[in-house]
Amino acid sequence: MATERASQPASGFSWTYEPLTDEQFRKFSSLVYRLTGIYLRDEKKALLNARLSKRLRAGSFASFDDYFQYVTSDDSGQELVELINSVSTNFTSFFREQDHFDCLVQTVLPELTGRLRDHRRELTLWSAACSSGEEPYTMAMVLAEYFRQQPGWRYRITGTDISTRVLDRASRGVYSQDQISKVPRELLLRYFKKGVGRSEGLVKVREDLRRQVTFQRFNLMDPFPWTEAFDVIFCRNVMIYFDQATQQALIDKFHRALLPDGHLFIGHSESLTFIRHSFRQVATTVYRK
């Protein structure tokens, strides 16, 4: 049975907590690692303290120990989701690491369409750890533009993330002017609708483009559930949060999840140098099975 929460504080009162101890940090960091593969180094203690304190205040928990007991005994698993949402890092942007999309257009797509023309005319892509959707929507725009010149092709993009909070934002497809600053003007006009009234200053991805992307919650540490392999996988700036053993296991799973000659894109801050793999590097942080 889950631990009882503290009674709701009186109006105008806010909970204050003793700082996270080393022992408590080890307990929470071990739990996070076991659940998500994210390795929280000792220097992340202050960050974890700040983020967990928000969850304690939100649920009126009396202490970090009470919160830990509640999280690990809550049969619904909902607070585990909130914990993971709290510790996940979700920075992203449209056309982030532009050269990857150049490589997709100039090298990967011509190779794929040339090889598959007489077999199947549908491509499958996965944006792993897609955050609030900028990456998969960028992929969708790039493919839509490419296939304007080659009609008759279809594509499906799966966007996954462990955080339900960012997936909700991704599904809505609504962004601020600052968030779309890297999107070329012609693509803005073609693939976004401008907000009016209370939505002024916002844009929304057009429905025809949104239909090309399916979002779902998925933990990269879980067995891959896909019944079909992918032509392209983007998993960028995620493995930097994992230790080498977790990186190795993930790369092995990505290799199995790709079709022959499929491509894996990782972040520019990442490397497979110390990972055993059977990929062939074809561009900066781009690998072919």
Side-chain angles (χ1 to χ4, degrees):
M1 180 179 294
T3 299
E4 293 293 329
R5 304 186 189 196
S7 59
Q8 186 69 26
S11 177
F13 179 85
S14 61
W15 289 106
T16 57
Y17 304 99
E18 292 295 323
L20 196 67
T21 66
D22 289 343
E23 180 182 357
Q24 290 168 334
F25 174 74
R26 284 192 293 271
K27 287 166 61 177
F28 277 106
S29 59
S30 295
L31 177 64
V32 170
Y33 179 78
R34 187 168 71 252
L35 292 173
T36 70
I38 297 173
Y39 177 60
L40 296 173
R41 296 175 175 82
D42 290 345
E43 58 266 28
K44 297 294 185 180
K45 180 181 174 183
L47 176 66
L48 187 63
N49 185 95
R51 293 187 176 182
L52 291 184
S53 292
K54 294 179 181 179
R55 293 308 309 156
L56 266 65
R57 286 191 291 271
S60 300
F61 293 98
S63 68
F64 288 110
D65 285 332
D66 285 348
Y67 181 63
F68 184 85
Q69 186 172 351
Y70 182 85
V71 165
T72 54
S73 59
D74 175 24
D75 293 336
S76 74
Q78 183 56 45
E79 190 57 39
L80 273 176
V81 173
E82 294 297 338
L83 170 63
I84 292 168
N85 285 343
S86 297
V87 301
S88 301
T89 300
N90 297 299
F91 172 77
T92 186
S93 65
F94 286 99
F95 289 95
R96 186 182 185 187
E97 298 178 350
Q98 171 73 52
D99 58 316
H100 277 166
F101 298 102
D102 294 339
C103 179
L104 187 63
V105 170
Q106 297 167 10
T107 302
V108 176
L109 290 178
E111 188 277 327
L112 281 173
T113 54
R115 179 167 49 83
L116 299 176
R117 182 175 288 110
D118 298 327
H119 303 282
R120 59 182 172 91
R121 298 177 71 85
E122 181 177 64
L123 302 183
T124 55
L125 302 92
W126 178 17
S127 171
C130 69
S131 189
S132 47
E134 286 90 332
E135 179 177 274
Y137 286 133
T138 301
M139 295 163 69
M141 285 187 283
V142 166
L143 268 72
E145 288 295 293
Y146 186 83
F147 288 128
R148 289 180 72 206
Q149 310 302 320
Q150 296 192 48
W153 286 85
R154 301 185 305 277
Y155 62 92
R156 291 181 288 119
I157 299 170
T158 300
T160 68
D161 201 277
I162 198 170
S163 170
T164 55
R165 184 180 303 125
V166 295
L167 284 174
D168 182 59
R169 290 165 53 195
S171 298
R172 292 199 304 269
V174 176
Y175 299 97
S176 68
Q177 293 292 332
D178 288 342
Q179 289 172 303
I180 59 168
S181 61
K182 293 183 180 179
V183 180
R185 178 173 171 75
E186 63 272 21
L187 299 187
L188 279 176
L189 295 174
R190 191 170 293 141
Y191 298 114
F192 292 84
K193 294 190 298 185
K194 189 175 182 180
V196 296
R198 288 189 298 178
S199 297
E200 187 173 358
L202 302 174
V203 298
K204 186 173 185 177
V205 179
R206 291 187 179 274
E207 186 61 31
D208 55 348
L209 192 75
R210 290 175 65 202
R211 284 196 298 266
Q212 305 303 317
V213 185
T214 301
F215 292 102
Q216 66 184 82
R217 184 178 184 273
F218 180 65
N219 185 343
L220 289 171
M221 298 301 101
D222 292 341
F224 287 4
W226 324 119
T227 57
E228 298 179 73
F230 295 94
D231 293 296
V232 175
I233 297 175
F234 273 55
C235 185
R236 305 187 303 164
N237 306 298
V238 176
M239 292 193 299
I240 54 175
Y241 300 106
F242 300 153
D243 62 12
Q244 188 171 339
T246 305
Q247 292 174 355
Q248 180 70 65
L250 189 58
I251 289 299
D252 290 342
K253 291 199 289 187
F254 281 145
H255 191 272
R256 292 192 296 271
L258 279 167
L259 288 162
D261 298 311
H263 287 75
L264 171 67
F265 291 72
I266 65 174
H268 288 333
S269 59
E270 298 166 325
S271 171
L272 301 189
T273 300
F274 299 106
I275 303 296
R276 299 185 309 278
H277 64 86
S278 301
F279 287 103
R280 178 168 63 88
Q281 187 167 358
V282 295
T284 302
T285 58
V286 180
Y287 299 85
R288 181 174 176 174
K289 179 175 177 178

